[in-house]
Amino acid sequence: MNFFRGVMGGQPAGPQPSGAETIQKLCDRVASSTLLEDRRDAVRALKSLSKKYRLEVGTQAMNHLLQILQTDRSDSEIIGYALDTLFNIICNDEEEEQDAASMGKQKAVAVPDENPQKQVDDLGVQFTDKLIQEPENVTLLLTMLEEFDFHVRWPGVKLLTILLKNQCVQLQAIILVSPMGVSRLMDLLADSREVIRNDGLLLLQQLTKNNAAIQKIVAFENAFERLLDIITEEGSSDGGIVVEDCLILLLNLLRNNSSNQNFFKEGSYIQRMKPWFEVGDDNSGWSAQKVTNLHLMLQLVRVMVSPTNSPGATASCQKSMFQCGLLQQLCTILMATGVPADILTETINTVSEVIRGSQINQDFFASVNAPSNPPRPAIVVLLMSMVNERQPFVLRCAVLYCFQCFLYRNQKGQGEIVATLLPSTIDANSISAGQLLCGGLFSADSLSNWCAAVALAHALQDNLTQKEQLLRVQLATSLGKPPVSLLQQCTNILSQGSKVQTRVGLLMLLCTWISNCPIAVTHFLHNQENVPFLTGQISENLGEDERLVQGLCALLLGICIYHNDNSLENYTKEKLKQLIEKRIGKENFVEKLSFITKHELYSRAAQKPQPVFPSPEQMLFDHEFTKLVKDLEGVITKAVHKSSEEEKKEEETKKTIEQHDSIVTQYKELIREQDSQLQELREQVSSMSSQKELMQGSLAQQLSQIQQHKDQYNLLKLKLGKDSQSQAGSQADGAQVNGLQTEELGQLREEVEDLRRQQATLHSQLGEKETLISTLRSGSSQEAGDATGGPVHTDMTQELEALRSQIQSQQAEISQLQTERTELLRRAEAKSSEAGVAGGSSEDSALLADLEGRLAAQTSETDRLKAEVQGLTEGRAGMEQQLASATSTVAILQAEKAKLQGELQESKKEQDDLLMLLADQDQKIHSLKQKLKDLGEAVDDDDDLRDQTDDDYDEEEDDEEKDD
């Protein structure tokens, strides 16, 4: 016990041992003690010494502490002490805080040495390496996170976080292969204790750095849903540091990870970002945390539509942002007042990338107006900031980027911008984009010159029509002098020797303008002063700053050669190359041209579209212009080195290729015509084949009918031959035949009597059905709301079907009788004509006439029955319609009843929850008052008020039950 009193602060009996000896004894006690209490006290003592004697505790006690984590997992207290001790010996933050505090107190004039701090950092890394040498140690720490006890889980989270800070890559690899490793870390976000949840966010930030595999696993562990819920709960942009941590983690998951970006978009999480940017009218007094949060939110939007992403994914995200109203919300912030400058700048950059290359979004942005009087387009307001030298440099760069993105692959927008410069569309009463660009192009501020020149170059990018239209622009330089073209004014400013930034911007504009536009090249060469100026600039030996201007002049002259249509005799391709060879030299020309791509700022501008420069002086190259230089440098070099013979051969080759192409085109057109004709012939053949098949079918049918007629004719002929032979034999046979005919007529009479009886039966059944129908009609209104009417309706349907079947059978019998009557008439006429027996034929004729009369009566009766059946069918249809209407009404009422019952149950449930909350609150108040009473404080009792409140709640519940 004396030993522990010495460690914990008691007065030792003998001389006090050193720190290393004390730590050694504590480690021995941890390793050898059999009682849990002794080990716990020893670990607690090691924890208290771990900050002061970090090196000694780390070297001697680390293995013992890891052993404690394995053997004593059932005791949360000793596990917490062990984890805290490991954290203290690995973490470098505490030492940094102590150093900072000591430096603040001393205020020494000596420069602090960085080597001690570096040694401290190395010590933490060394201990981290020692711990993660065995991957089982990291797995053991991950299992500690499954403990819900606060004193175990929180130190475990902090320890893993500092391990990731010291050795991120190695620890990521171990966690990635550990079973359920990432899932255990994701469970920290669901912890109800905010301290653990917030430190879990910091842990996941370190875990997801630059590791796409872990980022995907975290994303598919429902990280997006949880993080967005936390951001919403914490107040979105008005939230605190927790919102910032969530946004940083989201950026880690989405940046440069196409899979997670697609998952974020497909999960409809873009729509959930829209409420973040709902800024009120009063934008004064933004806190620093709100500015940070909104800045990160804007970066998150930019990550989804970054130009470095795949074009398809970017276009899909841009479409989603427009459809959900996110772009509209960003434009609202853009035009709002009182927004901080850095937020406004980042918002402009975000809108730029949301509209870049998306025609729908670009059209919407063109329609946005600033809330001014009179309203002005947002593009005009932004350009006013760009050409205003009093605006911040980063803001002017952002506006330029926005204008470039608005015109990117937007020929419609390019045409609208150029149209504001044309004489027919200039409005003197309003400020247009073209006027602002011209004003910036010729102002005294070199940065405005450069920005306006680059912006105007983007209005001409890959658009031959607008390049030709811009040649029509005329400028009034001064009173009393004729106007000059915009092209000529640009070359005039170049010749005046302005600042390097201005000349670079104008040269980039001219190169973009005349590139791939022979008409613009002709206009440029038409001025006799331009070519001598360019050759003079290239041939001079100037300083380092002027070499870039010389390279751009060489590029401009090379474009005049490459895109020259030889329309001017003095400046054909051949003459310009001769001029270069005489005054400059081909090798010197190529060397000056190659200096552009060797420039440091050229490489920086070629990396990404956004113009980001540390200072205005370094703002020299545009991203799109670097692409143009890359495309033209090689072809211009070849064009300059080619001789006249090679030019002629190349022209002849081009002509041959053009002729070959024309011949190929003719053959292609001929083949297309033949293909169309062949297709028409095929269609005709298919139609004729179908007609042939139809005709063959009809022919076969007619042949079969002819064969049937032939067979019938042969049968009749055979029967007539037999009848004539029997009559020639004897008269008795004729009498026998007449007797047979009389017997058949008797059978017909009996059948007619049967039909009459059946008709009477049908009459009686029809009367019953009419009675039933009248009964149903009188009670239809009652039966429509009653579900028991179904069986009666079914019985009536069955009886009607039986009646139809009887009528059909009767019709069949009637048609059979008619057929037999016709046959008998034919036979009787044949026999009477041959035998000459007049009396018998007259008697048969009378009998047949009687049969015909009866058949006619039967037929009329059948028609009447059909009419009645038709009436019954229509009546049944009407009743069915009424029944269906009543059934639908009942279904609607039942649905409304169910809905009302559900709402009632929900309201009851909410009321019960409120009562539970009030009861808990009352219990807490009562316990607090009791504590105050125990402490001797005077407390007012309001039990009567609570009882009265409870009685009111009980009365309300009784009223609701009565209403139900």
Side-chain angles (χ1 to χ4, degrees):
M1 296 304 292
N2 291 334
F3 168 73
F4 282 109
R5 280 197 294 269
V7 172
M8 301 306 294
Q11 295 295 327
Q16 186 173 3
S18 63
E21 293 175 354
T22 304
I23 292 169
Q24 181 62 42
K25 292 179 181 179
L26 290 173
C27 291
D28 295 339
R29 179 60 61 95
V30 171
S32 61
S33 296
T34 58
L35 294 178
L36 179 62
E37 291 79 4
D38 293 343
R39 294 196 299 274
R40 186 188 303 123
D41 292 339
V43 174
R44 185 189 297 113
L46 287 172
K47 175 188 172 184
S48 63
L49 297 172
S50 59
K51 293 183 179 180
K52 184 176 181 180
Y53 300 101
R54 181 184 176 192
L55 177 62
E56 291 79 2
V57 175
T59 54
Q60 299 182 34
M62 178 176 288
N63 293 329
H64 299 295
L65 295 173
L66 293 173
Q67 186 65 30
I68 288 292
L69 295 179
Q70 292 180 352
T71 58
D72 295 331
R73 291 185 58 182
S74 59
D75 187 71
S76 59
E77 188 175 359
I78 192 173
I79 295 295
Y81 291 149
L83 292 173
D84 285 333
T85 306
L86 290 171
F87 175 78
N88 290 337
I89 63 178
I90 293 174
C91 180
N92 301 319
D93 295 342
E94 187 68 26
E95 295 292 335
E96 292 177 1
E97 292 177 2
Q98 292 179 359
D99 293 343
S102 61
M103 288 173 63
K105 292 179 180 178
Q106 295 173 0
K107 294 183 181 179
V109 294
V111 178
D113 190 6
E114 295 181 358
N115 290 329
Q117 182 60 40
K118 185 177 181 181
Q119 293 176 359
V120 170
D121 294 341
D122 292 341
L123 188 61
V125 174
Q126 290 174 6
F127 286 140
T128 301
D129 292 335
K130 182 179 179 181
L131 190 146
I132 66 176
Q133 277 181 353
E134 297 294 334
E136 292 79 8
N137 295 335
V138 179
T139 305
L140 181 63
L141 294 178
L142 291 174
T143 57
M144 294 293 106
L145 299 181
E146 295 180 353
E147 296 290 336
F148 188 74
D149 192 289
F150 180 81
H151 297 288
V152 175
R153 205 172 199 185
W154 188 40
V157 172
K158 294 193 298 181
L159 180 56
L160 283 171
T161 304
I162 195 62
L163 290 174
L164 281 166
K165 285 183 179 179
N166 292 337
Q167 291 292 353
C168 184
V169 178
Q170 293 86 337
L171 203 64
Q172 283 176 339
I174 297 173
I175 294 175
L176 188 60
V177 298
S178 177
M180 301 294 292
V182 179
S183 300
R184 289 169 178 162
L185 299 178
M186 283 298 300
D187 292 338
L188 298 174
L189 297 182
D191 201 304
S192 59
R193 294 161 293 193
E194 292 187 0
V195 176
I196 296 178
R197 184 199 68 185
N198 298 343
D199 284 349
L201 288 172
L202 300 177
L203 171 59
L204 290 172
Q205 285 180 19
Q206 298 294 327
L207 180 66
T208 55
K209 281 184 178 180
N210 303 320
N211 193 307
I214 293 180
Q215 291 169 1
K216 291 179 183 178
I217 296 174
V218 172
F220 282 97
E221 288 284 343
N222 204 22
F224 293 140
E225 185 75 26
R226 296 183 184 181
L227 292 173
L228 292 175
D229 289 341
I230 294 174
I231 291 173
T232 304
E233 292 171 2
E234 296 292 330
S236 298
S237 60
D238 294 324
I241 190 68
V242 179
V243 175
E244 179 182 349
D245 293 337
C246 291
L247 292 171
I248 293 174
L249 179 55
L250 284 173
L251 286 172
N252 288 348
L253 295 175
L254 293 174
R255 186 178 282 116
N256 300 324
N257 193 318
S258 58
S259 176
N260 283 0
Q261 290 174 4
N262 185 61
F263 182 66
F264 190 85
K265 179 184 71 66
E266 295 296 335
S268 300
Y269 296 119
I270 291 178
Q271 290 80 346
R272 296 187 60 177
M273 293 194 293
K274 179 179 178 290
W276 297 351
F277 305 102
E278 293 178 356
V279 179
D281 296 334
D282 186 12
N283 295 319
S284 59
W286 285 43
S287 64
Q289 187 62 54
K290 182 175 182 179
V291 172
T292 302
N293 292 343
L294 203 56
H295 196 273
L296 291 171
M297 291 172 179
L298 292 170
Q299 286 186 2
L300 191 62
V301 176
R302 294 186 64 184
V303 164
M304 297 300 296
V305 293
S306 174
T308 58
N309 298 341
S310 63
T314 301
S316 180
C317 292
Q318 288 172 336
K319 182 179 179 182
S320 299
M321 290 178 183
F322 174 75
Q323 291 176 345
C324 72
L326 179 58
L327 175 59
Q328 294 86 325
Q329 202 67 44
L330 292 174
C331 291
T332 303
I333 298 177
L334 197 66
M335 295 292 105
T337 56
V339 179
D342 51 350
I343 294 297
L344 180 61
T345 302
E346 189 64 20
T347 304
I348 294 174
N349 289 327
T350 306
V351 172
S352 305
E353 295 183 352
V354 173
I355 68 174
R356 187 176 188 269
S358 176
Q359 188 64 52
I360 297 176
N361 294 0
Q362 289 167 343
D363 292 342
F364 170 78
F365 183 70
S367 65
V368 175
N369 289 324
S372 59
N373 191 14
R376 291 176 178 173
I379 299 175
V380 173
V381 176
L382 292 175
L383 288 177
M384 292 172 67
S385 301
M386 185 185 73
V387 298
N388 187 355
E389 57 184 323
R390 290 176 294 180
Q391 293 293 337
F393 173 65
V394 291
L395 179 63
R396 300 173 74 180
C397 291
V399 173
L400 176 61
Y401 184 46
C402 183
F403 191 74
Q404 292 174 351
C405 292
F406 170 69
L407 297 178
Y408 182 72
R409 295 180 181 177
N410 183 11
Q411 294 191 354
K412 178 182 176 183
Q414 290 175 331
E416 292 174 352
I417 296 298
V418 173
T420 59
L421 290 165
L422 299 178
S424 59
T425 58
I426 292 178
D427 185 5
N429 298 323
S430 62
I431 301 175
S432 64
Q435 294 174 0
L436 291 172
L437 291 177
C438 283
L441 194 63
F442 307 123
S443 68
D445 180 26
S446 61
L447 183 60
S448 298
N449 301 152
W450 191 91
C451 291
V454 171
L456 196 55
H458 277 263
L460 306 175
Q461 194 76 37
D462 299 328
N463 196 326
L464 181 60
T465 303
Q466 303 310 323
K467 291 178 181 179
E468 296 176 356
Q469 288 291 326
L470 199 64
L471 296 172
R472 299 169 47 200
V473 176
Q474 299 290 323
L475 301 176
T477 56
S478 60
L479 295 175
K481 292 185 178 181
V484 297
S485 66
L486 177 61
L487 184 67
Q488 183 60 43
Q489 184 64 18
C490 291
T491 56
N492 292 341
I493 296 176
L494 277 177
S495 61
Q496 293 173 3
S498 53
K499 294 182 180 180
V500 174
Q501 190 175 38
T502 300
R503 286 182 288 165
V504 168
L506 291 174
L507 285 169
M508 287 194 298
L509 172 60
L510 292 174
C511 290
T512 306
W513 191 347
I514 70 173
S515 174
N516 201 24
C517 183
I519 298 177
V521 172
T522 304
H523 278 72
F524 180 78
L525 295 176
H526 188 72
N527 187 352
Q528 302 294 328
E529 299 176 357
N530 290 340
V531 174
F533 169 74
L534 293 178
T535 55
Q537 287 287 319
I538 300 169
S539 60
E540 291 181 1
N541 293 322
L542 302 175
E544 186 70 22
D545 295 338
E546 296 293 332
R547 292 183 64 185
L548 177 59
V549 177
Q550 289 181 322
L552 291 174
C553 290
L555 177 66
L556 183 60
L557 188 56
I559 294 174
C560 292
I561 295 174
Y562 184 69
H563 292 292
N564 195 336
D565 58 358
N566 296 326
S567 59
L568 295 176
E569 295 182 359
N570 295 331
Y571 296 109
T572 60
K573 289 184 177 181
E574 186 61 30
K575 291 184 178 180
L576 287 175
K577 287 192 291 185
Q578 293 175 0
L579 187 64
I580 290 174
E581 188 173 3
K582 290 179 181 179
R583 297 188 180 181
I584 304 172
K586 292 183 178 181
E587 299 300 330
N588 190 23
F589 178 85
V590 174
E591 182 182 357
K592 297 292 179 65
L593 179 63
S594 63
F595 182 77
I596 300 176
T597 56
K598 295 178 182 178
H599 201 279
E600 178 186 359
L601 298 179
Y602 174 89
S603 302
R604 184 181 299 176
Q607 293 177 359
K608 56 182 180 179
Q610 183 180 3
V612 179
F613 302 97
S615 62
E617 294 77 15
Q618 297 184 7
M619 201 169 184
L620 293 178
F621 284 105
D622 174 57
H623 177 75
E624 293 297 327
F625 180 74
T626 59
K627 294 181 180 180
L628 181 65
V629 173
K630 184 178 179 180
D631 295 337
L632 292 177
E633 184 180 8
V635 296
I636 289 176
T637 303
K638 292 180 181 180
V640 171
H641 282 293
K642 286 179 183 178
S643 61
S644 59
E645 295 180 356
E646 291 177 350
E647 288 284 347
K648 291 179 180 179
K649 289 182 180 179
E650 185 176 354
E651 291 179 0
E652 292 177 357
T653 304
K654 286 183 179 180
K655 291 181 180 179
T656 305
I657 292 173
E658 290 176 357
Q659 292 177 358
H660 181 267
D661 291 340
S662 64
I663 294 172
V664 171
T665 304
Q666 292 177 1
Y667 276 114
K668 286 181 179 179
E669 293 177 355
L670 180 61
I671 291 171
R672 289 194 188 96
E673 292 178 359
Q674 291 178 351
D675 285 338
S676 62
Q677 293 176 1
L678 183 60
Q679 184 66 27
E680 292 177 359
L681 292 174
R682 286 176 179 172
E683 293 176 355
Q684 292 178 4
V685 168
S686 62
S687 63
M688 292 176 70
S689 298
S690 61
Q691 291 178 3
K692 178 184 175 183
E693 291 177 357
L694 292 174
M695 292 176 67
Q696 286 179 348
S698 62
L699 180 60
Q701 185 178 3
Q702 291 176 2
L703 289 174
S704 64
Q705 290 178 359
I706 291 171
Q707 187 64 34
Q708 290 176 3
H709 288 309
K710 285 182 179 180
D711 294 340
Q712 292 176 2
Y713 175 73
N714 292 331
L715 289 174
L716 290 173
K717 188 175 181 182
L718 183 60
K719 288 181 180 182
L720 288 174
K722 290 181 180 180
D723 292 341
S724 62
Q725 288 177 2
S726 62
Q727 283 181 353
S730 65
Q731 182 67 27
D733 295 307
Q736 187 177 2
V737 171
N738 290 331
L740 180 61
Q741 186 178 5
T742 304
E743 183 179 357
E744 291 176 355
L745 290 175
Q747 292 177 358
L748 289 174
R749 289 191 182 95
E750 292 177 359
E751 291 178 357
V752 169
E753 291 297 330
D754 291 336
L755 289 174
R756 287 179 178 176
R757 286 193 295 272
Q758 292 178 4
Q759 184 178 358
T761 304
L762 290 174
H763 275 299
S764 62
Q765 292 177 356
L766 184 61
E768 293 176 359
K769 298 300 179 296
E770 289 177 350
T771 305
L772 179 60
I773 289 170
S774 61
T775 304
L776 290 173
R777 287 178 178 173
S778 62
S780 60
S781 59
Q782 298 176 357
E783 291 176 351
D786 193 358
T788 60
V792 178
H793 181 70
T794 306
D795 294 340
M796 186 184 70
T797 305
Q798 293 176 354
E799 291 178 0
L800 287 174
E801 294 295 334
L803 185 59
R804 287 196 184 97
S805 63
Q806 291 179 4
I807 292 174
Q808 291 176 357
S809 63
Q810 187 177 7
Q811 287 179 347
E813 292 176 358
I814 290 171
S815 45
Q816 184 179 0
L817 289 174
Q818 288 177 348
T819 306
E820 292 178 356
R821 180 180 67 82
T822 305
E823 182 65 23
L824 288 174
L825 285 173
R826 186 182 62 78
R827 291 172 60 185
E829 288 176 357
K831 292 183 185 302
S832 62
S833 62
E834 292 176 359
V837 183
S841 60
S842 61
E843 183 179 356
D844 292 338
S845 300
L847 180 59
L848 290 173
D850 183 35
L851 287 173
E852 288 178 355
R854 292 178 181 178
L855 286 172
Q858 187 69 27
T859 303
S860 62
E861 186 68 21
T862 302
D863 295 337
R864 190 179 66 81
L865 288 174
K866 286 182 179 180
E868 292 179 357
V869 169
Q870 182 67 25
L872 289 173
T873 304
E874 293 176 355
R876 185 190 67 174
M879 293 175 66
E880 288 178 349
Q881 186 176 2
Q882 294 177 0
L883 182 59
S885 175
T887 305
S888 63
T889 304
V890 171
I892 293 171
L893 293 175
Q894 289 178 350
E896 293 180 354
K897 179 180 177 182
K899 182 179 179 181
L900 292 173
Q901 289 178 349
E903 293 177 354
L904 180 61
Q905 293 296 329
E906 186 69 23
S907 63
K908 285 184 178 181
K909 184 178 178 181
E910 292 178 356
Q911 188 176 6
D912 293 339
D913 294 339
L914 288 173
L915 290 174
M916 291 293 294
L917 290 173
L918 289 173
D920 294 341
Q921 187 70 19
D922 187 55
Q923 186 65 28
K924 291 180 181 178
I925 293 173
H926 182 71
S927 62
L928 292 173
K929 286 183 177 181
Q930 188 63 36
K931 290 181 180 179
L932 291 173
K933 288 180 180 180
D934 294 340
L935 294 173
E937 296 290 336
V939 179
D940 295 334
D941 293 333
D942 55 350
D943 293 339
D944 297 337
L945 180 59
R946 286 200 306 274
D947 294 340
Q948 181 64 31
T949 305
D950 294 339
D951 294 339
D952 293 340
Y953 279 119
D954 294 338
E955 290 178 0
E956 291 179 0
E957 289 182 352
D958 295 339
D959 294 339
E960 290 181 356
E961 291 178 356
K962 290 179 181 180
D963 294 338
D964 294 340

